[in-house]
Amino acid sequence: MSMTVAKSKHDVRAVRAIGIGAQLKSIRMRNKLTLKEAGNLTDLAPSTLSKIENEQISPTFTVMQKLATGLNIELPQLFTKPTVAQAAGRRDVTLKDKGNYHLTSTYEHELLSTQFSHKKMMPYKCRVHARSFDDFGEWVRHSGEEYMLVLEGEVQLLTEFYEPVNLVEGDSVYYDAMMGHLVISMSEDDAQILWVTTK
């Protein structure tokens, strides 16, 4: 499945959306979980899990966080099969525009450094499609801490306990990801940010 993404009104490209259905089912079956049992662990309806596994719907970032937390896995494992544990001294190079893409109605995530199955940070670039809180409908919150750096354009960071703050290219922020938060683009074109999330 592919989607057309507009970086700007003059730069439109097709991006292949990566499906996580087969990997999610593999993880569930490996743990000998029924859809109902997996639903209880992830706080998601069994019917929702079934639709994700069968690539009938594309999960939001919040749903992916619930899957990772409930199934006790790292989020990138939903996109890539776990690799065999390696000795210390590992490295993982991601070339420009060669990350794993995941598209939602609010964000276009490019997951970086996905070859390691056990790591303490999850880096990813994100092109922000959302323009208001209503595009989300609810706060995004998940375990860990988060660092965000604006790469292009202007964004507004909305958080549960602070006044909204506008950030432009080069600005950054670090915050507790358990606090409700979300990011919207204030630019005419979609803004781009770098996110680094800890477990």
Side-chain angles (χ1 to χ4, degrees), residues 72-141:
N72 194 29
I73 60 173
E74 295 184 55
L75 195 148
Q77 288 179 246
L78 292 171
F79 299 87
T80 56
K81 294 183 179 181
T83 57
V84 177
Q86 302 174 20
R90 303 177 299 166
R91 77 170 194 181
D92 184 357
V93 175
T94 305
L95 299 180
K96 183 179 179 180
D97 299 328
K98 298 298 183 181
N100 287 347
Y101 284 88
H102 179 75
L103 304 175
T104 71
S105 60
T106 52
Y107 297 134
E108 176 192 349
H109 296 297
E110 182 188 1
L111 302 179
L112 309 171
S113 303
T114 59
Q115 297 304 306
F116 294 164
S117 59
H118 299 285
K119 57 179 179 284
K120 297 180 180 179
M121 298 183 297
M122 185 180 71
Y124 51 100
K125 288 192 290 186
C126 176
R127 192 159 292 282
V128 184
H129 303 317
R131 292 299 194 277
S132 74
F133 183 94
D134 293 338
D135 292 335
F136 296 85
E138 61 179 347
W139 288 113
V140 174
R141 51 169 60 87

